[in-house]
Amino acid sequence: MSYAIVGFGAVGQALAHAFTRKNIEVTVASRRPPEALAPQARAIGPAVIAKSLREALEADTIILAVPFGEHREVAKALPSWKGKTVIDAMNAFPVPEELDGLPSSAFVAKAFTGAKLVKGFNHLVAAKLAADPIVEGGHRVVFLAGDDEDATAPVAALAKQLGFAPVKLGKLNEGGALVHARGRTWGPLIFQDLFKKEQ
């Protein structure tokens, strides 16, 4: 399984730290050329490789960590997203009117035709995502939501591999609503820094 993080701001870099901690190779890309990202990528660790957006999108699993309004530009970079899993780590706040009552991830899914979309890694601030998720015998929780169980299961496995405790909330419009904003109100699980003890 190959992974890429698209967007190399605070959240993208935080996720890159999580990958490098477990020595899992991850490609990073943004609107800036790879040479501009390379020094920061190298500083995070050898498992983080800066590439062009086109090269990054060859990965099986793409984590979207761009500002919400830029997701459509990323979506246009491939003619079809069939066979890809897209993890939506973005937050739309305040919620744009164009969402028309849809959870932001359901709106994002429409842009990534053919992809399996999972909402995840979006409810924690970047500093918490970057920190070691194992604290006092517990694992930091990441919430996952998606309409396709075949996609949610491997994302849960990735979260576990990175040291987090994945908690599946169900479909995007059900449990997923807990990690989305509505209008100018955050979902109740956003910013909840929870830990799960080992079973």
Side-chain angles (χ1 to χ4, degrees), residues 94 104 108 165:
S104 59
V108 170

Side-chain angles (χ1 to χ4, degrees), residues 131-173:
D132 188 340
I134 300 167
V135 178
E136 293 174 21
H139 293 254
R140 181 168 272 125
V141 166
V142 290
F143 295 112
L144 305 176
D147 293 342
D148 188 328
E149 177 53 35
D150 289 348
T152 310
V155 175
L158 169 65
K160 250 189 170 137
Q161 224 183 327
L162 295 175
F164 293 95
V167 173
K168 296 180 194 174
L169 299 176
K171 296 192 180 299
L172 293 174
N173 64 350

Side-chain angles (χ1 to χ4, degrees), residues 9-76:
V11 170
Q13 289 182 33
L15 287 164
H17 277 282
F19 275 85
T20 210
R21 191 180 296 112
K22 295 294 184 177
N23 205 27
I24 301 168
E25 191 172 290
V26 65
T27 301
V28 294
S30 80
R31 286 176 306 188
R32 294 181 295 152
E35 312 79 74
L37 309 182
Q40 186 62 46
R42 273 196 301 272
I44 292 171
V48 183
I49 299 145
K51 291 191 179 176
S52 70
L53 179 61
R54 189 163 289 287
E55 289 174 308
L57 296 182
E58 290 171 12
D60 306 308
T61 300
I62 317 289
I63 304 175
L64 280 182
V66 296
F68 183 78
E70 291 175 21
H71 74 271
R72 277 176 291 223
E73 281 309 303
V74 177
K76 286 179 196 163

